[in-house]
Amino acid sequence: MTDKTDLSQIIASKNDNPLILSPENLQSQEDVELERKLRELKFKQELRKDWILFIVRDVVIFPAAILFIFAVSGYSLFLHIHG
């Protein structure tokens, strides 16, 4: 088996002046988990918003516009026939 080394240690020790990694920059496991949950909630919120916009626009407004056009066309045709 090959030796496994920490990639951050290799990167940090490449230069003559080794990189100093401060512990405050490293996220704890709890922070990573909370951030993942926050991303999931944002994704679900965006998905919900997209579905609401789809329903309002494509299920309500579009058919209402079509019915309005048919009603106006029918009324206009009725006036021309009986006018």
Side-chain angles (χ1 to χ4, degrees), residues 16-38:
D16 293 335
N17 301 330
L19 199 65
I20 298 172
L21 298 174
S22 63
E24 54 198 35
N25 287 341
L26 300 175
Q27 290 183 331
S28 69
Q29 185 66 24
E30 294 169 351
D31 290 343
V32 171
E33 185 67 23
L34 285 174
E35 190 154 332
R36 183 186 65 80
K37 287 182 180 180
L38 181 63

Side-chain angles (χ1 to χ4, degrees):
M1 295 185 78
T2 60
D3 291 333
K4 294 183 180 179
T5 56
D6 188 11
L7 185 60
S8 62
Q9 294 299 327
I10 294 172
I11 293 171
S13 62
K14 273 295 186 191
N15 294 336
D16 293 335
N17 301 330
L19 199 65
I20 298 172
L21 298 174
S22 63
E24 54 198 35
N25 287 341
L26 300 175
Q27 290 183 331
S28 69
Q29 185 66 24
E30 294 169 351
D31 290 343
V32 171
E33 185 67 23
L34 285 174
E35 190 154 332
R36 183 186 65 80
K37 287 182 180 180
L38 181 63
R39 281 194 306 265
E40 286 179 3
L41 284 173
K42 284 182 179 179
F43 174 75
K44 287 178 183 177
Q45 185 179 18
E46 286 292 320
L47 189 62
R48 190 175 300 124
K49 185 179 80 171
D50 290 344
W51 270 105
I52 290 170
L53 286 175
F54 165 75
I55 290 171
V56 167
R57 183 179 55 231
D58 294 349
V59 175
V60 175
I61 294 175
F62 186 69
I66 298 271
L67 287 175
F68 178 76
I69 291 170
F70 280 145
V72 169
S73 301
Y75 182 71
S76 176
L77 183 64
F78 177 76
L79 286 180
H80 282 306
I81 291 174
H82 294 287

